[in-house]
């Protein structure tokens, strides 16, 4: 305890118990974070999403039923579990309602959902701006900029940009105050007038009506009333939970290599995907984290543009894509596929301070006689062992592979490490030794039961 203004303060960061956990992606997203969160949720009192928007997609299979979640944390699938959308998320309220209705139709209780009043809102004009920017880049007139980023066109980047610019930005709490909502929508539309006017040329009346102030305000106020019961100060709520001895599981969207600061810029997302984002995106200090579980696939994938050093554009890549169902949860786009890049994974584990690894989709590699693992890069005449978090520079890197033995038998029914073929166990050990982080969990299929716990 410390003296503050003559009073005794009981807030002592050094003595706060590190009883919380975080799940972060160690690659370019789509690593299987949804399943990992689902597995760890029973050990925590709340599951919190702290970054990203409806561009993220987490798939979880429970009793043979697949759930695709975009904004709502995976912990919602456990009855009575608190699921929280933190202030660091940009919320598309219409998508959120659609997701809530979809879960309700499947019998899922969503009464435990809380949404931060300070989370920023993705508005219809953000999606238009996202598409205009992508089309401009895709036209090729600005080739030195690397072409289109390959966003989901869900308005995520523009919403984050407006959050930082501040003028015209709308937060969830503003959806409940029509006067405030009107002021901010009118200001936002005024600031974007030129772009929206150009976009509206040649559009139908219905399309142009989506950027009319009254239409936007009416729709936003209506959806705000629907979501009002769950909008609150989630930072206070979470600290109240921690003060009562509760524990929290933090769920990251996207992956470390898409982080706006530490990823392959400019082909990144608009938020902080790394574990440090917990502090800003949820208001809980990272010192409360006792476990950081890094999620990685047994191979590499990427959606959208940007370098993927180990990319496979042949029949091997197609085989992995089909076996792994590598199609975007949000967009349905086929994911680009490549051999495992451990240079990238080691970098991500370092950035996040990963205490353990969850290795997913190992079953997809069954049937290969040999497997390739990138353990270094060659750039020109030089061989390097460090990851390059810059798209232009990384695009010149050629992977240096280490060949390891494959395994022919299917492993989807394995319950413990001893059930795996020796080559599959050797693959796991190779990952541990190279990255320097133990593999705690191995996933051999989409179901909860298709999981091997190497360490508790």
């Amino acid at each position: 305890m410390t003296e503050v203004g003559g009073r005794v303060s009981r807030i002592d960061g050094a003595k706060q118990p590190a009883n919380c956990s975080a799940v972060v992606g160690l690659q370019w997203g789509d690593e299987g974070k949804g399943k990992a969160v689902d597995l760890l949720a029973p050990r925590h009192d709340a599951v919190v999403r702290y970054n990203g928007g409806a561009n993220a997609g987490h798939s979880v299979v429970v009793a043979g039923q697949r759930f695709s979640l975009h904004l709502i944390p995976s912990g919602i699938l456990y009855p009575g579990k608190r699921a929280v959308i933190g202030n660091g998320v940009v919320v598309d309220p219409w998508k959120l309602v659609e997701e809530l209705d979809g879960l309700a139709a499947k019998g899922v209780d969503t009464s435990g959902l809380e949404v931060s009043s300070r989370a920023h809102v993705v508005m219809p004009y953000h999606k238009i701006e996202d598409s205009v920017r992508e089309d401009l880049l895709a036209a090729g007139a600005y080739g030195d900029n690397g072409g289109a980023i390959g966003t989901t066109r869900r308005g995520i980047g523009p919403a984050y940009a407006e959050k930082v610019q501040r003028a015209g930005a709308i937060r969830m709490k503003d959806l409940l105050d029509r006067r405030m909502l009107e002021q901010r929508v009118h200001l936002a539309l005024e600031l974007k007038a030129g772009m929206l006017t150009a976009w509206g040329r040649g559009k139908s009346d219905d399309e142009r009506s989506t950027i009319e102030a009254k239409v936007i305000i009416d729709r936003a106020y209506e959806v705000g009333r629907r979501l009002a019961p769950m909008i609150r100060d989630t930072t206070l709520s979470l600290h109240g939970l921690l003060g009562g001895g509760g524990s929290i599981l933090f769920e990251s969207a996207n992956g470390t290599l898409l982080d706006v600061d530490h990823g392959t810029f400019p082909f990144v997302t608009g938020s902080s995907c790394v574990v440090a984002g917990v502090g800003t995106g949820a208001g809980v200090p990272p010192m409360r984290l006792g476990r950081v579980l890094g999620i990685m696939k047994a191979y590499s994938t990427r959606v959208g543009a940007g370098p993927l050093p180990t990319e496979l554009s042949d029949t091997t890549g197609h085989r992995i894509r089909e076996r792994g169902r590598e199609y975007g949860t949000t967009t349905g786009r086929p994911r680009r596929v490549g051999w495992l890049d451990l240079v990238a994974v080691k970098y991500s584990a370092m950035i996040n301070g990963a205490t353990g690894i969850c290795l997913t989709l190992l079953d997809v590699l069954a049937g290969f006689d040999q497997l390739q693992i990138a353990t270094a890069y060659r750039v020109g005449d030089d061989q390097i062992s460090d990851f390059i978090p810059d798209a232009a520079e990384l695009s010149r890197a050629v992977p240096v592979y280490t060949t390891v033995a494959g395994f022919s038998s299917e492993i989807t029914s394995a319950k413990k490490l001893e059930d795996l073929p020796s080559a599959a166990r050797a693959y796991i050990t190779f990952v541990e030794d190279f990255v320097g982080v133990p593999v705690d969990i191995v996933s051999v299929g989409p179901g909860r039961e298709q999981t091997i716990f190497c360490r508790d």
Side-chain angles (χ1 to χ4, degrees), residues 126-134 151 153-156 158:
H126 291 138
K127 299 178 184 179
I128 294 171
E129 183 177 354
D130 202 352
S131 292
V132 168
R133 289 176 178 274
E134 282 291 276
T151 74
R153 300 180 182 239
R154 296 293 177 91
I156 309 303

Side-chain angles (χ1 to χ4, degrees), residues 44-66:
H44 299 80
D45 299 296
V47 180
V48 180
R49 170 85 174 272
Y50 65 86
N51 76 301
N55 58 334
H58 292 171
S59 294
V60 180
V61 177
V62 180
Q65 187 174 27
R66 180 175 292 272

Side-chain angles (χ1 to χ4, degrees), residues 194-452:
M195 179 198 67
L196 293 173
T197 299
W199 171 84
R201 296 191 187 105
K203 301 292 183 181
S204 68
D205 290 342
D206 286 343
E207 288 174 309
R208 285 196 300 273
S209 71
T210 63
I211 58 173
E212 291 179 4
K214 186 179 185 308
V215 173
I216 293 174
I217 293 166
D218 287 346
R219 290 186 62 220
Y221 188 62
E222 180 184 8
V223 78
R225 286 187 294 177
R226 164 73 188 274
L227 297 173
M230 57 192 70
I231 299 174
R232 65 198 65 179
D233 187 329
T234 55
T235 298
L236 285 179
S237 174
L238 292 174
H239 278 277
L241 176 62
L242 292 172
S247 65
I248 301 171
L249 175 61
F250 295 96
E251 171 184 341
S252 172
N254 311 115
T256 295
L257 303 181
L258 295 177
D259 183 89
V260 69
D261 288 298
H262 302 289
T264 51
F265 194 88
F267 299 99
V268 293
T269 192
S271 65
S272 179
C273 311
V274 296
V275 73
V278 168
T280 55
V284 175
M287 67 180 67
R288 298 302 299 258
L289 295 173
R291 183 182 193 182
V292 177
L293 186 66
I295 318 302
M296 59 169 287
K297 288 179 178 175
Y299 49 93
S300 301
T301 65
R302 181 166 194 163
V303 173
L308 181 64
T310 63
E311 185 166 11
L312 295 166
S313 301
D314 55 8
T315 55
T316 298
H318 178 73
R319 176 179 172 180
I320 293 174
R321 181 181 299 108
E322 293 304 308
R323 281 182 60 88
R325 298 180 62 176
E326 294 296 350
Y327 295 89
T329 303
T330 299
T331 63
R333 290 184 294 182
R335 296 180 185 131
R336 297 157 59 196
V337 172
W339 291 119
L340 178 59
D341 186 341
L342 281 187
V343 181
V345 171
K346 186 174 184 177
Y347 164 82
S348 296
M350 173 186 72
I351 291 292
N352 288 290
T355 60
I357 285 173
C358 173
L359 179 64
T360 67
L361 293 154
L362 182 61
D363 53 296
V364 173
L365 297 183
F368 287 101
D369 294 330
Q370 292 183 329
L371 301 169
Q372 305 292 334
I373 302 175
T375 52
Y377 299 141
R378 187 170 297 282
V379 181
D381 295 329
D382 300 322
Q383 181 167 310
I384 61 174
S385 57
D386 295 322
F387 184 72
I388 310 170
D390 179 88
E393 294 180 28
L394 186 61
S395 65
R396 295 192 288 270
V398 177
V400 176
Y401 287 116
T402 297
T403 302
V404 300
F407 49 97
S408 58
S409 58
E410 297 292 343
I411 61 173
T412 53
S413 60
K415 302 298 182 184
K416 54 186 183 297
L417 284 175
E418 292 74 17
D419 295 336
L420 296 174
S422 59
R425 296 198 302 272
Y427 196 85
I428 296 168
T429 300
F430 192 101
V431 170
E432 290 183 316
D433 292 344
F434 189 91
V435 179
V437 178
V439 173
D440 292 347
I441 301 172
V442 178
S443 175
V444 294
R448 281 177 178 169
E449 72 285 356
Q450 293 177 295
T451 307
I452 298 172

Side-chain angles (χ1 to χ4, degrees), residues 160-209:
Y160 275 117
E162 196 160 83
K163 173 180 178 177
V164 177
Q165 291 168 343
R166 300 176 299 283
I170 295 170
R171 301 194 291 181
M172 289 298 292
K173 63 187 297 184
D174 299 327
L175 299 181
L176 311 180
D177 183 338
R178 189 175 180 96
R179 185 181 64 84
M180 183 68 72
L181 183 61
E182 289 175 349
Q183 291 177 352
R184 298 196 172 180
V185 167
H186 281 294
L187 176 56
L189 291 177
E190 183 68 24
L191 292 170
K192 301 175 188 295
M195 179 198 67
L196 293 173
T197 299
W199 171 84
R201 296 191 187 105
K203 301 292 183 181
S204 68
D205 290 342
D206 286 343
E207 288 174 309
R208 285 196 300 273
S209 71

